[in-house]
Amino acid sequence: MISRDKIRNIAIIAHVDHGKTTLVDKLLQQAGTFRENEAVVERAMDSNDLERERGITILAKNTGVMYKDHLINIVDTPGHADFGGEVERIMKMVDGVLLVVDAFEGCMPQTKFVLRKALEAHLTPIVVVNKIDRPNARPAEVIDEVLDLFIELGADDEQLEFPVVYASGLVGTSGLEPDAQEPTMQPMFETILTSIPAPTESTVDPLQFLVTLLDYNEYLGRIAVGRINRGTIRAGQSVAVLDREGKQRTARIEKLFGFQGLKRIEIEEAGAGEIVAIAGIKEINIGETIADPANPEQLPVLTIDEPTLQMT
Ligand code: GDP
């Protein structure tokens, strides 16, 4: 099992079109070059047909990026206010956020909407002033706007100390100053490793896992995605499932997956603090707790909004 201090869980939040998808693509590509070369799949996060049609990212997706010997889980978030419940749930799976802001456009309505959720969840923010290659980029003003927004939204003292990375996801540069761009995403990776806390949950306590997102696969059926709250999960294990009313049933973990690049990869076990996908539990639903049968304790129920419930 990967050691807890080598894991970082972050969400990526932004106003639509500020460059989340392009940036994650670039992080994936460059993670490949820092580790062993992996094939790069075009347009990482917009794989869903509906999204492609609309040209915007609307569904949460998980991406696992290896940088040096660290696993960085990046969870995409919908920016639209209709998905408020989903955004709140994602904020419970991560320890920090990358707030991506266009270096010309600055803060926009969805920037405010998603930042509010992140600050309320007491997450550690990193501000990415993106599209720094734009000829009309105005990074100093944009940072002032971002700081004002943090203050308006009631950020605490630690959150106000946010590190800033200036970047162009398109060109593939990043740096700690707008005019000191390196031709790699290394400065962004290093900022993630140093600023975002690693998970601290215990892997030896009785298992608890909150079903936070649902995925679906025609062979595997419903797939429960979430962060292991405590303990360890093993493929093949019998578990207790507690529904939102606390009613208990038993089930078996058929398959367990981690995220590597854009793919789900099958793993044997995973521990507290890891974001995983679980297949094999029929009728599994958001807000249910998967727990140790010898010690089945329910986790607090989550906000659910309509678009997520329509998933079958
Ligand atoms: P998303 O909606 O936040 O996922 O944004 P996308 O990654 O899909 O990018 C939206 C648009 O901005 C696309 O036309 C991209 O080509 C463009 N774009 C993304 N990153 C950059 C960048 O770093 N510089 C410039 N100039 N354009 C960018």
Side-chain angles (χ1 to χ4, degrees):
M1 203 190 299
I2 180 169
S3 102
R4 303 303 87 181
D5 64 338
K6 298 278 196 288
I7 299 172
R8 297 293 183 279
N9 295 320
I10 57 174
I12 185 161
I13 62 177
H15 187 81
V16 65
D17 274 348
H18 282 195
K20 270 194 307 188
T21 311
T22 308
L23 187 66
V24 172
D25 281 352
K26 202 59 79 174
L27 290 174
L28 272 169
Q29 282 178 19
Q30 299 214 344
T33 65
F34 289 125
R35 203 190 172 206
E36 70 245 38
N37 277 306
E38 257 185 63
V40 176
V41 183
E42 44 168 324
R43 295 293 289 181
M45 300 177 99
D46 278 334
S47 54
N48 182 289
D49 283 344
L50 177 65
E51 292 175 37
R52 207 177 294 126
E53 211 169 87
R54 295 194 188 171
I56 52 168
T57 307
I58 58 162
L59 294 178
K61 297 278 163 55
N62 302 277
T63 307
V65 179
M66 290 300 297
Y67 172 71
K68 294 181 177 165
D69 54 351
H70 289 68
L71 170 63
I72 305 172
N73 285 308
I74 304 176
V75 188
D76 186 25
T77 51
H80 199 274
D82 285 355
F83 296 85
E86 185 171 335
V87 175
E88 277 174 31
R89 296 201 307 275
I90 291 167
M91 297 301 156
K92 289 195 164 63
M93 292 188 356
V94 296
D95 301 296
V97 289
L98 283 187
L99 174 70
V100 179
V101 185
D102 183 305
F104 169 68
E105 283 199 349
C107 296
M108 299 294 278
Q110 287 169 32
T111 313
K112 184 171 174 176
F113 168 73
V114 286
L115 180 60
R116 183 195 301 276
K117 302 274 188 207
L119 296 176
E120 283 171 357
H122 306 289
L123 298 177
T124 303
I126 294 173
V127 173
V128 178
V129 178
N130 193 32
K131 306 198 187 183
I132 200 73
D133 62 290
R134 287 184 71 165
N136 47 6
R138 43 181 196 95
E141 282 165 47
V142 167
I143 279 300
D144 285 346
E145 284 177 26
V146 170
L147 185 59
D148 286 345
L149 188 60
F150 269 72
I151 294 167
E152 182 193 331
L153 294 174
D156 64 32
D157 290 349
E158 271 177 53
Q159 289 170 327
L160 285 174
E161 298 284 305
F162 58 81
V164 182
V165 181
Y166 299 86
S168 167
L170 192 65
V171 184
T173 68
S174 67
L176 302 183
E177 300 293 337
D179 47 9
Q181 291 288 297
E182 295 180 32
T184 80
M185 286 292 142
Q186 201 152 4
M188 189 169 314
F189 280 123
E190 293 294 336
T191 306
I192 292 169
L193 296 197
T194 53
S195 309
I196 307 295
T200 54
E201 299 97 318
S202 159
T203 56
V204 295
D205 287 340
L207 169 66
Q208 244 186 347
F209 171 95
L210 188 61
V211 181
T212 308
L213 302 169
L214 280 185
D215 204 344
Y216 184 81
N217 173 289
E218 67 178 294
Y219 303 107
L220 299 169
R222 286 192 189 186
I223 299 170
V225 178
R227 172 185 178 134
I228 304 172
N229 189 60
R230 63 177 198 205
T232 299
I233 297 188
R234 287 183 192 82
Q237 175 185 2
S238 290
V239 291
V241 180
L242 297 145
D243 72 14
R244 292 162 62 88
E245 278 74 48
K247 211 167 130 251
Q248 190 178 328
R249 62 190 195 273
T250 40
R252 187 171 172 272
I253 310 282
E254 299 278 345
K255 286 185 195 294
L256 182 66
F257 301 93
F259 297 92
Q260 194 179 84
L262 310 170
K263 298 182 295 264
R264 276 195 296 262
I265 50 151
E266 231 181 302
I267 52 177
E268 283 304 310
E269 67 169 6
E274 287 183 62
I275 294 175
V276 293
I278 295 171
I281 306 181
K282 285 198 188 71
E283 311 287 313
I284 192 76
N285 271 307
I286 288 172
E288 295 187 319
T289 300
I290 296 175
D292 179 351
N295 208 333
E297 283 176 78
Q298 193 180 5
L299 282 158
V301 167
L302 296 160
T303 320
I304 304 191
D305 39 11
E306 294 315 309
T308 316
L309 282 176
Q310 280 161 16
M311 203 161 181
T312 48

